């Protein structure tokens, strides 16, 4: 979301090429921000990025659904333990998710966090963590395994994305 991200071109800079360049685009599910928090960007700057992206997509008639950010307690709390880094980043993640859920900026919300979170630990449910019995992916502590991505996909209400056929129900 933040321009000049250290890990490559920022999403705001790739929007024209990677998203708006697609023909027939009508809807986008936008899930972005956790790497920005890891890169020490503020929640305000990330929210500014959300507003930029949504305004540019809306200007092209594209509906934007935001995906809530899944827990990164593993990567920032376990893989790279740096004091309170894990809980601080998780608190910022919750700020972003609260904005996503309540701001009204987006046309809808896909609650990926709700679909994967273990409320008891604040991390993703064990069954969705990489290196569980459901995946061969290396444990990066951040991205869910195949079962986690499946749970995220199943959380999406696909009704708003169906093509509208005028005159037919």
């Amino acid at each position: 979301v933040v321009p000049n991200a250290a890990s490559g071109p920022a999403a705001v800079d790739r929007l024209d090429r990677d998203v708006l360049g697609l023909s027939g685009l009508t809807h986008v599910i936008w899930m972005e921000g956790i790497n920005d928090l890891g890169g020490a960007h503020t929640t305000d700057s990330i929210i500014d990025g959300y507003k930029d992206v949504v305004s540019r997509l809306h200007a092209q008639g594209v509906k934007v659904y935001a995906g809530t950010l899944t827990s990164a307690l593993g990567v920032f709390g376990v893989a790279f333990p740096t004091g309170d880094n894990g809980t601080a980043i998780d608190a910022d993640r919750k700020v972003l998710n609260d904005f996503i859920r309540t701001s009204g900026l987006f046309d809808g919300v896909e609650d990926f966090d709700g679909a994967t979170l273990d409320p008891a630990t604040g991390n993703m449910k064990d069954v969705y963590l990489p290196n569980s019995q459901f995946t061969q992916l290396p444990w990066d502590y951040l991205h869910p395994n195949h079962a986690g991505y499946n749970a995220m996909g199943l959380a999406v209400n696909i009704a708003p994305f169906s093509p509208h056929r005028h005159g037919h129900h």
Side-chain angles (χ1 to χ4, degrees):
V1 171
V2 180
N4 304 315
S7 57
V12 291
D13 299 330
R14 298 191 323 260
L15 188 70
D16 291 323
R17 181 193 75 196
D18 293 352
V19 181
L20 288 170
L22 299 171
S23 66
L25 182 70
T26 58
H27 297 71
V28 166
I29 297 176
W30 188 262
M31 182 187 183
E32 191 72 41
I34 204 68
N35 290 332
D36 300 312
L37 291 178
H41 294 287
T42 65
T43 54
D44 284 347
S45 68
I46 295 167
I47 287 169
D48 285 345
Y50 291 165
K51 292 175 180 175
D52 175 56
V53 163
V54 170
S55 69
R56 288 161 64 193
L57 288 167
H58 279 169
Q60 299 298 318
V62 176
K63 292 191 181 302
V64 186
Y65 292 72
T68 55
L69 303 176
T70 56
S71 177
L73 267 186
V75 69
F76 297 120
V78 179
F80 305 107
T82 53
D84 293 327
N85 199 22
T87 52
I89 288 178
D90 200 55
D92 284 346
R93 178 187 71 87
K94 290 173 182 172
V95 167
L96 294 177
N97 280 350
D98 185 57
F99 177 85
I100 288 167
R101 289 181 175 117
T102 65
S103 68
L105 175 68
F106 302 96
D107 297 293
V109 175
E110 308 302 343
D111 195 3
F112 298 142
D113 183 41
T116 58
L117 187 71
D118 180 349
T121 65
N123 203 349
M124 280 187 280
K125 294 175 182 166
D126 284 346
V127 68
Y128 299 145
L129 289 172
N131 106 338
S132 78
Q133 61 184 326
F134 295 102
T135 185
Q136 302 302 315
L137 294 173
W139 191 325
D140 72 354
Y141 297 94
L142 176 60
H143 300 89
N145 61 22
H146 299 305
Y149 280 122
N150 190 54
M152 291 166 66
L154 291 172
V156 174
N157 172 13
I158 62 170
F161 302 96
S162 66
H164 297 290
R165 291 186 173 85
H166 299 290
H168 298 92
H169 295 289

